[in-house]
Amino acid sequence: MTDGLESVFIALDTADPLRARQLVRTLGEGPRTAGYKVGKEFFTAHGPIGTREVTDGFPLFLDLKFHDIPNTVAGAIRSSLQLHPAIVNVHASGGPSMMRAAAEAAREAAEQQQIPPPWVVAVTVLTSLDDQDLKAVGQTGPVLDQVVRLATLAQDCGLDGVVCSPREIGDLRHHCGPDFRLVVPGIRPDWAVSGDQKRTLTPREALDAGADRLVIGRPVTEARDPLEALQRLADDLA
Ligand code: C5P
C-alpha cells in the first residue's frame, strides 16, 4: 500500500481549463501526490486534448464511470488508454460481461501500447443513493449489502478494485481481501469544512482503515492557499 500524500489524487472539479492548469502548476510546486482526477465536468468540455494539456506529466485518474453494453465500454476503455491513465472506472451495475470486457480491453490496450495497465475499478452504489432510492429502481437493499455484492462481483470479473465511501472500507477489506484496491473519496482533514460530504474520515483515518488511494478535492482546491493546504495534508499524512 502507498502511504502518505503519494496515495492522494487531487480532484480537478472544474470546467475552466485556465483554473485547472493554474491549480496543477501551483500544486506542482508542493510535495508529490498520486496525481489528478479528471471527471465528466472537465472532460465533457475539453476532451482528451484538454485533459492531456492540464495533467501532462502527472498520473491521471480518469473518472468517467462508463456504463453501457460490453462492446461500447471496451471501446471507451481502449480510447481512454491513449491518455495513459493510472485509474479508469466503470459502473458495476453494468454487469459481469461489461466488467470483464472492460478489464480485458484495458489489459490488451496497455500491452499494445507497452504501457502499464491502469487499475480498472468499479463504482458500486453511488453515495447519493439511500435504501429508498435503491428500492425505487428495483434493487435489493440495504445499500451496504448491495455495495458488497457488486464489489465481490467486480472482483470475480477481474477488476482491480472499487471506488467506495470511507464507511465501506472495513466491510470491503473483510470481504474482498488485502489486494483489492479501494479508492476513497469523501475525505476531510480535521481542519477543512465538510461541505456536502457526510460521514467523512480524515486522510489518516482512511489510510489506516485500509484505503489504497484517496480522492480529495475542495479541501485543497478551494482553500485560500491551495499550496499551503497541500502541505498541511502532507504533514497530516507524514
Ligand atoms: O471536493 P471533494 O473532496 O468532496 O471531492 C471529492 C471528489 O470525489 C469529487 O470529484 C466527487 O465527485 C468524487 N466522489 C465523491 N463521492 C463519491 C464518488 C466520487 O465525492 N461517492
Side-chain angles (χ1 to χ4, degrees):
M1 195 201 308
T2 310
D3 212 351
L5 194 66
E6 291 192 31
S7 60
V8 176
F9 278 90
I10 302 294
L12 295 175
D13 290 318
T14 174
D16 178 353
L18 294 179
R19 174 163 160 69
R21 222 169 296 154
Q22 183 59 45
L23 268 169
V24 171
R25 205 172 295 139
T26 302
L27 298 177
E29 290 166 21
R32 206 164 102 179
T33 63
Y36 294 94
K37 180 173 89 71
V38 170
K40 291 186 174 102
E41 184 178 358
F42 187 91
F43 194 85
T44 304
H46 307 292
I49 293 173
T51 302
R52 192 179 283 118
E53 270 172 21
V54 162
T55 61
D56 195 27
F58 292 99
L60 167 69
F61 172 6
L62 191 61
D63 181 18
L64 298 179
K65 300 187 183 72
F66 296 129
H67 187 176
D68 211 311
I69 60 171
N71 189 53
T72 301
V73 167
I77 293 273
R78 276 194 293 275
S79 295
S80 72
L81 257 75
Q82 291 168 17
L83 285 168
H84 298 185
I87 307 181
V88 295
N89 56 9
V90 300
H91 274 282
S93 53
S97 307
M98 190 207 81
M99 285 195 278
R100 281 198 199 95
E104 201 179 310
R107 262 194 307 273
E108 280 176 9
E111 204 175 296
Q112 267 169 16
Q113 296 186 48
Q114 299 187 322
I115 56 172
W119 291 0
V120 183
V121 300
V123 174
T124 57
V125 178
L126 292 170
T127 46
S128 50
L129 303 179
D130 62 18
D131 290 351
Q132 286 307 315
D133 295 318
L134 280 193
K135 207 169 153 203
V137 294
Q139 291 182 5
T140 320
V143 167
L144 185 60
D145 290 1
Q146 180 74 350
V147 166
V148 171
R149 189 178 308 129
L150 288 173
T152 310
L153 180 65
Q155 190 172 32
D156 291 344
C157 293
L159 262 62
D160 298 286
V162 288
V163 181
C164 71
S165 87
R167 73 201 132 98
E168 294 159 356
I169 296 172
D171 285 285
L172 290 175
R173 267 282 157 259
H174 175 72
H175 287 279
C176 300
D179 298 329
F180 197 57
R181 313 291 193 176
L182 303 181
V183 179
V184 185
I187 302 296
R188 285 294 174 270
D190 45 21
W191 41 265
V193 291
S194 58
D196 55 0
Q197 295 281 15
K198 296 179 189 124
R199 293 183 287 267
T200 59
L201 288 185
T202 67
R204 184 75 269 158
E205 286 169 340
L207 288 179
D208 289 347
D212 292 291
R213 294 288 183 276
L214 308 179
V215 177
I216 303 180
R218 287 162 291 177
V220 171
T221 58
E222 301 281 318
R224 211 162 1 117
D225 183 344
L227 189 55
E228 190 210 1
L230 189 70
Q231 188 58 58
R232 278 180 94 173
L233 200 56
D235 295 343
D236 284 357
L237 288 170

